[in-house]
Amino acid sequence: MEKNLILAGVGGQGILTVARAISIAALRRGMHLKQAEVHGMSQRGGAVQSHLRIADHELSSDLIPFGQADLILAVEPLESLRYVQYLREDGVLIASTNPVVNIDNYPAIEQVLEQIARYPRHVLFDADQLARAAGSPRAANIVVVGAASLSLDFEPRELEDAVAEMFASKGPKVVAVNRRAFRFGRNAAAAYLDGLNRGGSSRAVRHWIEALPVEQLGAEVPPVATGFDVVVPGDELSGPEAIGVENILVDAYGEGRRQLYEHEVYKLVEVIGAISPPKYLFVPRTGAITLELLEQFPGQQVVLKVVSPEVVHKTEAKGIRFVSKDYETVKREIDRLIMQFRDAGEVAGVLVVEFVQEAEAGFGNQLFVGIRATREYGPVIAAGLGGVDTEYLAQKMLPGVAVAKAVTTNTTAEQFFGLFQRTAAYELLAGKTRGHRRVVSDGELLRCFYAFISMARRFCADRGAEGPDVAELEVNPFAFRQQRMVPLDGRGRLQTAVKEPPPRPLEKLRRMIEPRSIAVLGVSSTSMNFGRIILNNVKRCGFPREHLYVIKENEQEVDEVRCVRDLAALPEPVDLLVMAAPAAQLPRMIEEISASGKVQSAILIPGGVGETEGTEDLQARARAAVLAARQRPDGGPVFLGPNCMGVQSRPGRYDTFFIPRSKLDTRWSAPARRCALISQSGAFIITRLSNLETLDPVIAASIGNQIDLTIADFVQVVGQRDDVDALGVYVEGFNDADGLALLKAIGRISAAGKVVVFYKAGRTEPGRSAAAGHTASIAGDYDVCQAAMANAGAIVVDTFKEFEQLMALATALHGKQFTGCRVGALSNAGYETVGMADAIRGSRYEVTMPELSDEWRKRLVATLKQHRLDGLVNPRNPLDLTPMATDRALEDCIRVMLECDEVDAVVASAVPLSPAMLTTAKEIDKPGSMVERLPKLFAESCKPLIYVIDSGPAYDPLAHAIRAAGVPVFRSCDQAIRSLGRYLCHRAPAERKLNRKTKSSTRVAGTLADTTAAESPVPEPA
Amino acid sequence: MRSELLLGDEAVALGAIHAGIAGAFSYPGTPATEVFECVAALTKGTGNVSAYWSANEKVAYEEALGMSYAGKRAVVSMKHVGLNVAADPFINSALTGANGGLVLVVADDPGMHSSQNEQDSRFYGEFAQVPVLEPSNQQECYDFTREAFELSERVRLPVMVRLVMRLAHSRANVRVNPPAKGHQPPQRPTPAPRDWTLVPSNARRRFRHLLDVQEVIQQHMEHSPLNQLTLAGHRGIIASGIAYNYVREALGSDGQDSLLKICTYPLPVGLIRKLVDHCNEIYVIEEGYPFIEHRLNGLLGVPGKTIRGKSSGVLPSSGELTPDLVAAALSRSVRKPPAAVGDLPGRPPALCKGCPHADTFKAMLDATQGYPDRILFSDIGCYTLGCLPPYEAVHTCVDMGASIAMAHGAAQAGAFPVLCTIGDSTFTHSGMTPLIGAAKHDADITVFVLDNSTVAMTGMQETMASGNKLIELLRGLGVPQEHLHVLEPLPAKHRQNVELIAREVNHRGLSVIVAQRACVQTKRKAPVAKKAAEPAAAGTK
């Protein structure tokens, strides 16, 4: 047996103690030992190493030859790399992640760690943290000994006892601390290796270990690395970093400030992510800089910046000076700056900052990163091109191109980096564009995002009494030198974050959707008021009469439904109470409803609450009443509305929409199709239902003012239903934290394979007060909502038309197979084939129209021949069938296209004005019309098929008949391609990659196909 | 017989103790410091061994010589350049001879880990014509030291034990064998003034005696079991000291080559002849200068034989040997080492945070800003790190105490301003004599004595004079009262320090400024037990 160890670290880290512990254990075994040390010069903060050899035979050399070390054991990451030449091929490299940065050119720590992680057998952990957890920061070297024990042929006990012996003279307390440190190190190393074996990334496993409770670290058996990948996304800043941040925030808050000064932001980013700010010094208004302190700044120049809560845009306010590093000049300019701003408001002082020589200057070489707390979504992060152009670019460029933004709660740093890689900022910074060199490493960016996201999760949220919350924290810009990030300016703001309201008992919402009993309140016996219309609608929907009640004094029956005097008089508790009484009664009614204990859920119809002037108080009292109800032992009923139309529920056999049948045919007798609409606006729903005629949703719910139940509650409950595949969601505004709840619900629904079509109304520019930073203006609520909903898996649409079309597709096509984005198109009009080909690419989708292979061209020619079209028609995709084509010819060609294995979906169009086809209201019922043919085709094929009829009202009956048979019909061919494109891209991203592979390997594709494949709108990991 | 884990230095110390020394003498200097420290730590309170740091190596050697004359065994230890300082008594003591056993331990520093040069002390042994023993491992450190005392008393000469840094600062198991009772050195009639008084008539006689005794020594070495010859194949390897270990590492169990291990000087000529006769090709592997190789080659080489070593180029002629270098030289290694990680930033040592020297340097630089041609002489100690950025306030570092004398010389050449910095310990080591001269001639120099009241670089040994004692000493050396100042190097006092320095620099005559502030390391640590447990710091001197 022979073991060769290299021990490495920096002077003062206790390398020789590590050697001694192992030596003691080796001597006890009677082993031979050699241990070479370096004394002297190196100990003044220099690199320190020791060669340790133990063997059961006599050893010759005191030094280990290259390539012969079994183990490199380092208390410092960079130092571990200094000796890798000594490491055997199968040797183990163990290093603590804590850098000792006492040199100017220390590389980015993330790069150092990445380099270490490249060694197949390595262990990385935070020895300092483990040592602190064990009871003393000085025990980091013993933590490392514990880790080494895995690779040495000793019983763990032997080494641990050696450690104990070494500290015996210092008392039992010190011995206990070091024994603990030893065990923590051993367990952490074992856990780390276990985590890597289970496929965890080095970083993920480290974070998992850092979050382990002390009992597990100190246990006899090392913790098993399960579920570490789940811990990371929800990871928030903790440990000493969090304490560091807390201290800075509390200090600022304690001074009564809500704005953080620039140097405090520097300090924060330094604390959270080891991002090195330039050298800086805050000179308070009443203080002065000394020559000595000034001389510590590198270079010949320094930058002076005014520090004042009133001055936000320092460049514009001329609050920045570049001056030569001359003591007198600096002093003079500091005084001048203070004088200049004295009248503008409170001046805290002047920040003296090192002049940073950037790697590259000019456009595209600076980065903006910001986090902020939003009311709706909690903490969000944004990153994009930095500098003064930030806002301009964000405004002018397509969403997601200038700025990447995401809600931090459900986004990991890696995911966010993925989004960032799609931005122009990344392409410029990474040197992917002409004339640009890479100025920053991916690892550095990732580390930065990780730091900001973990900070946001912890501090941009309601922390109760824990301390001040961060409203906004941003660095604009980061510059770069030696591929490392250097913040050049930063701002931060404190606030009290919004609290999440108490959750609603969603079981009661499920009962509202499928109630066993319903009572209606506010029915007039004399006129057709809303209450009475609702009562009749419920009746007409077939809700069992014996469980339907009207709450009304002095009446026996209204429209054959029995009346009870009041809630108390109800013979059974009701699952649903529909309240159509005047708004003024709302607070009192809510109290009564909850007090009665007889109601599970209530729909509050009345409008005029909260939205008009003078009714805010009414709404506030209603909310208070709901909150009070929630305090009841039974949790109180759930309330929908007010200011809503309620719910249409086919499974619940009721409809509270107070629209007369003559205005809107709800087609109650038609079977439900597998979709649902959740909308804040009732009018939005009825308009969509009117336009789409045959959508026939399982559930349509109008949410109204969300005094209690929210959009997210409905999406969550309805989205979970087995009879719903597609959800249309329309939102105007979110309750506190409800945007985040909706994101999470959409995430779950999408993961289950369902489709959510999402429209957000209210896109006014975010309020830009003078005090608001860049983050709010480039990542305003609407932008964040768009980006986050898309990230969560929703199809985000911009227009009502798009909403309808995608809802129609999502409903009709859900059960089809999605194998890719290759579209086969055919039409009897030349302009349509051109128009469809022109529409294959849009800002958020891209499909291809592949050329057909010979085999399929032949099949097409054969079909065309049957219909004597072969002389007229060119057999290609898109296929122009000419007006000569009959219904049958169209059907046969559609079939060939559907069967073609080079096509994933088919768009067929026929201008109905063609004399060769049966299309008028009179003709369509005849045998052989498309009304008969299309549903057959649609049902036969597992591929998506959509039909286009681009003509006037005369052909509405044709469109209606085909749609009613379940085939999606569009009234314009380019729109059809656009909507299908978005839907295909949403459904088929995974399959598309597969296609790309086979395409390139099996045949040479057309140029169009090549281009589109290469410029896929769906991101792929770089 | 018991086994202990010892540094090479410590094994020597323990060997000396077990040889029955009555005293240990030294001045701190890496890599020899731990010899004395180990003796001091292990014998503290026993009353058997006297162990005090000496003012310098010359003094240490003379103290040891005196103890030897008085009939007791003594060990004196120093680093290689320390022997330059002690060369005078060392060379002369070969003529006077020793009475009680006298062993000089010298630790060389090939590779210059903490030294100004990598001189090879074996030359000193040959020069003085005293026996030298060179251990190759820690066990031999112990054994050879005991043997050295025996030999010293047998031939009545001082004996040198030569170590190198890698052996001095490496630990291994050592079997030790404490004697049953204390050693009784031969009691000779004392005094022997005719032997000890090197007036020419005596000196001529004693030198004749020294030459005569060489034959005895040579015979002893020829038959010494410390040298080992194994004849096998026709390739021969001569290895000495620690280089022998690297040869063993490279050869492994391969017994094809003939091998001569040399541990004594004068060289065992007979053994070498046997090897050379047997082999065609001889590799000489030795740590330090090509001492054996040159003697073997002479001026003209050995006809018919190929001799390879540092001079022939199979090994580099500077720097430390490594197992890889030796393996490559002996062509036993075709293994390519794993790739190093390129472009790692170095991590050189630097002045500690809060070091008083840093403040002194800053004040010095600020006070002389107007003089781009200023020369800042300096000396050996922690403060030599002031040569690095951001200070670059050390322009010279030659030998202990050189700063003041060199400054004086530069002033005589008309240079202005001339400043010099010297630590309190370096000052009492070799700075006092040049200062007496500078004071007598009122040299136009400004001397800074950096009084941190410890020998910081080598691990916080106590100094001879600091604080008021140092001031009195300076006054006594003739430094004029009005140009003798004390300042406290602190950032807060920067301005007043700069003013003081500027004033004294402009004084055209000798000024001495004592920068008084304790070393931050001594402040930080409680007095460190000088056992091998804690990483004992060491330094250039």
Side-chain angles (χ1 to χ4, degrees):
Chain A
M1 195 281 285
E2 180 179 318
K3 285 277 177 195
N4 295 321
L5 290 81
I6 302 267
L7 315 176
V10 176
Q13 283 193 310
I15 293 305
L16 300 185
T17 309
V18 173
R20 207 166 140 240
I22 300 171
S23 304
I24 290 175
L27 277 190
R28 285 217 183 133
R29 278 270 191 103
M31 291 170 124
H32 292 268
L33 193 140
K34 286 262 186 186
Q35 186 224 326
E37 304 166 359
V38 173
H39 295 194
M41 273 281 196
S42 340
Q43 293 205 307
R44 296 282 173 266
V48 176
Q49 52 139 331
S50 175
H51 290 219
L52 177 59
R53 312 185 71 188
I54 45 186
D56 53 10
H57 53 82
E58 191 124 11
L59 288 157
S60 302
S61 170
D62 298 82
L63 293 177
I64 299 168
F66 285 146
Q68 293 296 304
D70 300 282
L71 187 61
I72 290 179
L73 198 52
V75 194
E76 207 277 351
L78 179 66
E79 293 309 313
S80 75
L81 292 174
R82 209 178 288 287
Y83 309 103
V84 291
Q85 262 200 301
Y86 289 97
L87 196 63
R88 300 170 73 99
E89 244 169 58
D90 59 348
V92 180
L93 197 163
I94 299 179
S96 173
T97 54
N98 313 104
V100 175
V101 183
N102 59 356
I103 46 175
D104 294 339
N105 49 347
Y106 198 100
I109 181 63
E110 205 62 32
Q111 284 175 2
V112 175
L113 300 185
E114 274 167 27
Q115 181 97 38
I116 294 169
R118 271 182 224 160
Y119 288 84
R121 303 184 66 195
H122 79 276
V123 173
L124 270 175
F125 56 48
D126 186 337
D128 285 11
Q129 188 227 354
L130 292 169
R132 278 193 299 271
S136 165
R138 296 181 58 187
N141 53 350
I142 300 301
V143 171
V144 171
V145 175
S149 70
L150 287 180
S151 307
L152 299 171
D153 298 331
F154 292 115
E155 294 298 319
R157 198 77 208 172
E158 287 178 86
L159 265 174
E160 195 185 315
D161 288 348
V163 168
E165 181 188 318
M166 200 163 49
F167 291 100
S169 63
K170 299 196 172 170
K173 230 171 149 182
V174 177
V175 169
V177 166
N178 283 285
R179 274 190 189 271
R180 229 175 5 250
F182 177 90
R183 248 170 290 149
F184 285 11
R186 181 178 171 88
N187 280 344
Y192 183 83
L193 292 171
D194 188 33
L196 287 195
N197 277 339
R198 288 166 194 261
S201 71
S202 170
R203 179 212 289 276
V205 179
R206 271 184 279 134
H207 283 290
W208 165 68
I209 291 173
E210 278 159 29
L212 282 175
V214 168
E215 310 83 62
Q216 283 200 43
L217 283 171
E220 283 299 317
V221 186
V224 177
T226 48
F228 55 82
D229 48 350
V230 183
V231 174
V232 174
D235 208 17
E236 54 178 47
L237 203 66
S238 61
E241 290 85 2
I243 295 167
V245 171
E246 190 79 63
N247 289 342
I248 297 167
L249 302 185
V250 167
D251 284 354
Y253 201 82
E255 286 175 23
R257 264 188 292 133
R258 297 300 172 264
Q259 300 280 343
L260 293 174
Y261 293 143
E262 183 175 339
H263 56 285
E264 290 169 326
V265 175
Y266 286 175
K267 187 99 195 181
L268 281 174
V269 296
E270 200 177 3
V271 167
I272 61 175
I275 296 164
S276 334
K279 183 160 181 57
Y280 62 90
L281 175 75
F282 175 62
V283 181
R285 196 185 45 194
T286 50
I289 189 168
T290 65
L291 174 64
E292 198 185 355
L293 288 170
L294 181 64
E295 302 240 310
Q296 288 170 7
F297 283 80
Q300 299 304 313
Q301 264 191 315
V302 291
V303 187
L304 306 180
K305 299 180 177 190
V306 67
V307 176
S308 161
E310 325 280 328
V311 184
V312 175
H313 298 289
K314 287 186 277 284
T315 313
E316 287 85 335
K318 302 202 191 321
I320 300 182
R321 302 270 164 86
F322 294 82
V323 299
S324 78
K325 202 181 84 184
D326 168 67
Y327 183 54
E328 293 305 321
T329 315
V330 169
K331 262 199 327 194
R332 191 179 62 235
E333 290 300 320
I334 288 177
D335 290 346
R336 279 192 187 166
L337 260 183
I338 290 173
M339 292 294 281
Q340 178 188 334
F341 283 93
R342 201 182 37 186
D343 302 332
E346 189 197 329
V347 177
V350 170
L351 187 64
V352 185
V353 191
E354 168 193 354
F355 176 74
V356 175
Q357 196 69 48
E358 295 180 44
E360 302 268 312
F363 178 77
N365 285 305
Q366 292 188 328
L367 173 70
F368 160 88
V369 183
I371 51 176
R372 77 182 179 99
T374 63
R375 186 183 62 78
E376 300 98 323
Y377 319 102
V380 302
I381 179 168
L385 282 171
V388 285
D389 302 326
T390 300
E391 278 124 322
Y392 174 78
L393 292 168
Q395 250 176 24
K396 296 295 176 187
M397 290 169 97
L398 284 171
V401 174
V403 182
K405 30 193 178 288
V407 170
T408 64
T409 316
N410 63 348
T411 312
T412 63
E414 281 84 358
Q415 286 166 342
F416 185 69
F417 182 59
L419 294 175
F420 182 74
Q421 281 179 312
R422 285 190 248 169
T423 61
Y426 178 74
E427 299 201 330
L428 290 163
L429 296 175
K432 294 187 185 300
T433 53
R434 206 164 57 135
H436 278 260
R437 284 197 312 153
R438 186 183 261 277
V439 292
V440 63
S441 70
D442 287 357
E444 184 85 359
L445 286 169
L446 192 60
R447 179 165 67 94
C448 168
F449 295 155
Y450 184 82
F452 273 86
I453 287 174
S454 58
M455 161 104 181
R457 283 179 185 159
R458 170 81 181 251
F459 289 97
C460 292
D462 170 41
R463 305 194 297 136
E466 244 188 271
D469 311 328
V470 172
E472 200 174 359
L473 180 79
E474 65 186 27
V475 173
N476 186 23
F478 275 113
F480 304 94
R481 56 177 170 194
Q482 286 150 19
Q483 302 223 355
R484 295 180 67 179
M485 311 181 67
V486 186
L488 292 192
D489 198 357
R491 315 184 45 259
R493 209 152 44 77
L494 304 176
Q495 67 167 7
T496 305
V498 294
K499 281 196 171 42
E500 212 173 312
R504 280 69 57 194
L506 294 186
E507 188 45 44
K508 292 180 179 171
L509 170 54
R510 290 189 188 96
R511 292 172 79 163
M512 172 192 280
I513 290 168
E514 290 185 77
R516 282 165 304 186
S517 47
I518 300 179
V520 185
L521 192 153
V523 178
S524 164
S525 54
T526 54
S527 66
M528 235 341 153
N529 71 347
F530 282 177
R532 185 114 174 238
I533 297 173
I534 291 168
L535 180 68
N536 278 294
N537 280 351
V538 173
K539 254 171 64 188
R540 198 173 308 131
C541 293
F543 193 85
R545 196 83 49 88
E546 59 273 27
H547 295 297
L548 184 59
Y549 308 93
V550 171
I551 312 281
K552 195 163 183 63
E553 279 183 311
N554 309 325
E555 293 281 351
Q556 290 300 311
E557 267 187 14
V558 175
D559 296 339
E560 297 164 16
V561 177
R562 73 188 131 151
C563 300
V564 297
R565 191 167 30 84
D566 52 22
L567 290 168
L570 278 168
E572 58 171 338
V574 288
D575 283 343
L576 172 61
L577 174 77
V578 183
M579 203 287 260
Q585 298 176 17
L586 207 55
R588 186 179 56 79
M589 288 305 305
I590 291 171
E591 282 165 18
E592 274 178 28
I593 291 167
S594 358
S596 75
K598 288 212 160 173
V599 177
Q600 294 294 332
S601 72
I603 296 176
L604 310 173
I605 301 291
V609 185
E611 61 269 24
T612 50
E613 224 171 287
T615 58
E616 297 93 342
D617 174 54
L618 192 58
Q619 172 132 324
R621 282 192 290 132
R623 273 189 197 278
V626 170
L627 283 175
R630 197 61 13 96
Q631 299 308 314
R632 296 173 57 87
D634 61 352
V638 291
F639 296 90
L640 172 61
N643 191 24
C644 75
M645 295 181 73
V647 176
Q648 261 188 5
S649 169
R650 276 181 154 83
R653 288 175 294 176
Y654 77 96
D655 173 8
T656 66
F657 286 17
F658 38 88
I659 307 299
R661 291 304 87 153
S662 53
K663 301 274 182 188
L664 177 69
D665 178 10
T666 47
R667 291 167 42 91
W668 206 257
S669 52
R673 301 177 66 182
R674 302 179 58 81
C675 65
L677 290 173
I678 315 288
S679 163
Q680 208 163 353
S681 154
F684 179 84
I685 297 188
I686 54 177
T687 311
R688 303 288 78 78
L689 291 179
S690 169
N691 280 343
L692 291 170
E693 300 165 71
T694 58
L695 188 66
D696 304 336
V698 177
I699 288 153
S702 140
I703 309 299
N705 290 11
Q706 307 182 87
I707 195 174
D708 187 28
L709 289 167
T710 67
I711 287 271
D713 293 338
F714 267 85
V715 170
Q716 187 178 335
V717 167
V718 174
Q720 279 170 349
R721 292 183 64 95
D722 294 335
D723 52 2
V724 172
D725 293 330
L727 261 87
V729 180
Y730 166 90
V731 181
E732 287 170 0
F734 287 111
N735 276 11
D736 292 353
D738 202 47
L740 181 57
L742 180 60
L743 280 175
K744 290 178 177 169
I746 288 180
R748 280 192 293 269
I749 294 167
S750 306
K754 301 181 182 189
V755 173
V756 177
V757 179
F758 179 84
Y759 182 98
K760 172 74 170 72
R763 308 175 187 184
T764 46
E765 286 287 292
R768 270 188 218 168
S769 72
H774 305 88
T775 317
S777 54
I778 68 169
D781 297 345
Y782 178 72
D783 309 306
V784 168
C785 182
Q786 296 279 93
M789 293 298 167
N791 289 347
I795 302 181
V796 177
V797 296
D798 297 327
T799 65
F800 294 148
K801 200 83 225 158
E802 217 184 340
F803 184 92
E804 278 174 13
Q805 291 176 346
L806 277 154
M807 259 328 273
L809 288 182
T811 307
L813 300 181
H814 192 85
K816 299 289 181 191
Q817 281 179 15
F818 292 84
T819 50
C821 294
R822 298 165 304 171
V823 174
L826 55 171
S827 168
N828 64 352
Y831 87 90
E832 284 200 324
T833 56
V834 176
M836 289 194 281
D838 284 348
I840 58 168
R841 206 171 300 154
S843 66
R844 287 195 277 199
Y845 72 93
E846 190 158 312
V847 296
T848 63
M849 238 170 235
E851 282 185 24
L852 301 179
S853 66
D854 289 346
E855 181 195 342
W856 291 99
R857 286 164 72 100
K858 273 182 208 148
R859 298 222 1 210
L860 212 46
V861 170
T863 310
L864 291 169
K865 252 188 193 144
Q866 282 174 20
H867 298 285
R868 304 212 182 90
L869 288 167
D870 51 319
L872 286 170
V873 176
N874 210 346
R876 61 173 193 184
N877 181 26
L879 183 67
D880 177 5
L881 279 170
T882 76
M884 303 305 289
T886 58
D887 290 297
R888 215 181 118 221
L890 183 60
E891 181 193 343
D892 289 349
C893 291
I894 292 174
R895 183 167 289 115
V896 174
M897 279 288 194
L898 281 171
E899 284 170 2
C900 172
D901 53 19
E902 289 145 11
V903 161
D904 301 309
V906 174
V907 180
S909 179
V911 172
L913 303 162
S914 155
M917 294 181 70
L918 303 171
T919 53
T920 63
K922 283 180 193 155
E923 293 166 338
I924 57 176
D925 292 333
K926 291 183 182 165
S929 83
M930 290 315 280
V931 176
E932 185 189 294
R933 294 172 189 274
L934 272 170
K936 252 195 312 178
L937 278 170
F938 188 84
E940 278 168 18
S941 175
C942 57
K943 288 181 190 172
L945 167 65
I946 63 178
Y947 195 65
V948 181
I949 303 167
D950 188 0
S951 299
Y955 301 93
D956 288 353
L958 173 66
H960 183 79
I962 297 173
R963 213 175 260 156
V967 182
V969 175
F970 283 73
R971 298 305 292 268
S972 156
C973 68
D974 55 338
Q975 276 183 8
I977 294 282
R978 281 192 196 104
S979 292
L980 181 67
R982 289 216 61 193
Y983 188 67
L984 285 182
C985 284
H986 186 76
R987 290 293 305 272
E991 288 87 346
R992 285 186 66 247
K993 257 181 244 163
L994 213 83
N995 291 335
R996 243 174 84 180
K997 246 185 237 160
T998 48
K999 198 178 340 180
S1000 56
S1001 60
T1002 53
R1003 69 190 177 89
V1004 179
T1007 45
L1008 188 64
D1010 274 348
T1011 329
T1012 49
E1015 294 166 11
S1016 127
V1018 181
E1020 297 181 17
Chain B
M1 191 81 91
R2 62 175 201 269
S3 178
E4 290 194 22
L5 187 60
L6 297 173
L7 285 178
D9 277 348
E10 292 166 349
V12 166
L14 204 57
I17 294 171
H18 289 171
I21 50 168
F25 305 89
S26 186
Y27 180 84
T30 311
T33 313
E34 292 84 355
V35 175
F36 174 90
E37 288 189 328
C38 182
V39 172
L42 293 181
T43 59
K44 196 176 176 189
T46 63
N48 298 331
V49 179
S50 158
Y52 304 105
W53 288 115
S54 308
N56 65 29
E57 292 85 352
K58 177 174 179 290
V59 174
Y61 193 89
E62 289 155 353
E63 286 168 347
L65 186 62
M67 181 172 270
S68 165
Y69 283 7
K72 299 282 190 187
R73 286 187 171 182
V75 66
V76 52
S77 53
M78 58 194 66
K79 68 184 297 180
H80 57 332
V81 286
L83 184 51
N84 296 338
V85 177
D88 203 358
F90 171 62
I91 308 268
N92 292 327
S93 68
L95 272 68
T96 66
N99 183 12
L102 175 58
V103 172
L104 164 67
V105 182
V106 186
D108 290 356
D109 189 10
M112 295 181 263
H113 292 272
S114 337
S115 309
Q116 315 97 293
N117 69 32
E118 49 181 47
Q119 69 186 46
D120 187 331
S121 299
R122 291 178 295 175
F123 287 85
Y124 263 118
E126 190 185 60
F127 188 23
Q129 304 192 48
V130 303
V132 177
L133 302 185
E134 186 181 18
S136 67
N137 59 36
Q138 293 77 356
Q139 183 65 50
E140 290 178 355
C141 286
Y142 175 79
D143 295 338
F144 286 15
T145 304
R146 293 190 64 172
E147 167 67 19
F149 278 102
E150 300 298 328
L151 181 62
S152 169
E153 285 173 5
R154 189 172 318 148
V155 299
R156 291 180 186 157
L157 282 178
V159 173
M160 179 195 291
V161 172
R162 184 225 183 191
L163 304 179
V164 292
M165 172 271 177
R166 192 55 67 190
L167 181 56
H169 282 171
S170 174
R171 279 171 220 282
N173 323 55
V174 176
R175 292 178 308 280
V176 298
N177 195 11
K181 55 183 169 68
H183 166 80
Q184 292 301 317
Q187 292 295 319
R188 295 213 316 162
T190 52
R194 272 173 36 81
D195 292 353
W196 298 345
T197 315
L198 294 180
V199 295
S201 57
N202 288 340
R204 286 183 198 112
R205 184 173 47 78
R206 290 303 294 172
F207 186 52
R208 190 66 253 162
H209 172 74
L210 179 61
L211 294 175
D212 291 344
V213 91
Q214 293 304 307
E215 182 52 33
V216 178
I217 299 171
Q218 185 67 48
Q219 279 312 309
H220 182 84
M221 295 317 188
E222 286 301 337
H223 300 102
S224 167
L226 306 190
N227 302 315
Q228 290 159 12
L229 173 66
T230 318
L231 289 180
H234 295 296
R235 183 167 85 157
I237 301 168
I238 297 176
S240 73
I242 197 153
Y244 175 75
N245 298 345
Y246 301 144
V247 170
R248 286 247 57 110
E249 185 77 27
L251 298 182
S253 53
D254 180 354
Q256 288 178 28
D257 299 310
S258 297
L259 182 58
L260 172 58
K261 178 190 181 195
I262 290 181
C263 291
T264 72
Y265 307 84
L267 293 167
V269 181
L271 292 179
I272 293 174
R273 176 163 295 130
K274 271 188 199 159
L275 181 85
V276 172
D277 287 347
H278 182 77
C279 301
N280 313 321
E281 189 184 21
I282 294 112
Y283 283 78
V284 184
I285 316 289
E286 56 192 319
E287 184 67 291
Y289 290 4
F291 181 89
I292 302 173
E293 188 186 350
H294 279 181
R295 270 139 202 79
L296 186 55
N297 254 330
L299 276 175
L300 304 173
V302 185
K305 311 283 177 182
T306 313
I307 295 173
R308 299 189 202 280
K310 294 196 167 191
S311 298
S312 83
V314 298
L315 283 169
S317 45
S318 71
E320 198 185 2
L321 291 180
T322 67
D324 293 291
L325 286 172
V326 172
L330 297 176
S331 308
R332 296 287 164 172
S333 174
V334 283
R335 231 189 16 243
K336 214 176 143 237
V341 178
D343 289 343
L344 284 188
R347 202 191 287 268
L351 287 175
C352 305
K353 260 199 183 134
C355 176
H357 300 329
D359 292 313
T360 308
F361 285 137
K362 276 183 233 162
M364 239 172 75
L365 292 175
D366 280 352
T368 54
Q369 239 176 17
Y371 303 100
D373 295 334
R374 65 195 164 188
I375 310 184
L376 308 174
F377 289 92
S378 190
D379 233 296
I380 296 178
C382 275
Y383 48 94
T384 319
L385 292 172
C387 67
L388 302 172
Y391 312 109
E392 299 177 74
V394 165
H395 297 173
T396 73
C397 163
V398 180
D399 67 274
M400 294 286 282
S403 57
I404 297 174
M406 290 172 71
H408 192 177
Q412 289 173 52
F416 180 83
V418 176
L419 292 82
C420 74
T421 41
I422 183 166
D424 52 330
S425 186
T426 312
F427 178 71
T428 49
H429 179 290
S430 295
M432 296 187 296
T433 22
L435 189 61
I436 291 177
K440 180 171 174 6
H441 303 297
D442 196 20
D444 187 8
I445 60 176
T446 308
V447 177
F448 288 79
V449 184
L450 310 177
D451 180 9
N452 62 356
S453 60
T454 185
V455 191
M457 196 93 211
T458 50
M460 312 301 146
Q461 292 81 11
E462 58 179 326
T463 56
M464 293 286 149
S466 75
N468 283 339
K469 196 172 158 196
L470 177 67
I471 306 295
E472 282 167 30
L473 187 59
L474 288 164
R475 214 177 280 142
L477 291 173
V479 178
Q481 180 65 44
E482 61 278 23
H483 296 292
L484 175 59
H485 300 278
V486 179
L487 62 77
E488 192 180 12
L490 274 174
K493 300 193 173 170
H494 181 76
R495 183 155 295 186
Q496 77 192 62
N497 290 345
V498 168
E499 281 166 13
L500 169 72
I501 296 168
R503 205 167 59 238
E504 288 308 322
V505 165
N506 284 318
H507 162 65
R508 305 305 298 249
L510 176 68
S511 307
V512 176
I513 296 172
V514 182
Q516 238 174 32
R517 180 151 78 84
C519 171
V520 286
Q521 295 289 346
T522 52
K523 275 190 173 169
R524 206 165 289 157
K525 288 184 190 171
V528 181
K530 284 288 172 284
K531 173 81 175 95
E534 287 293 323
T540 49
K541 198 73 221 269

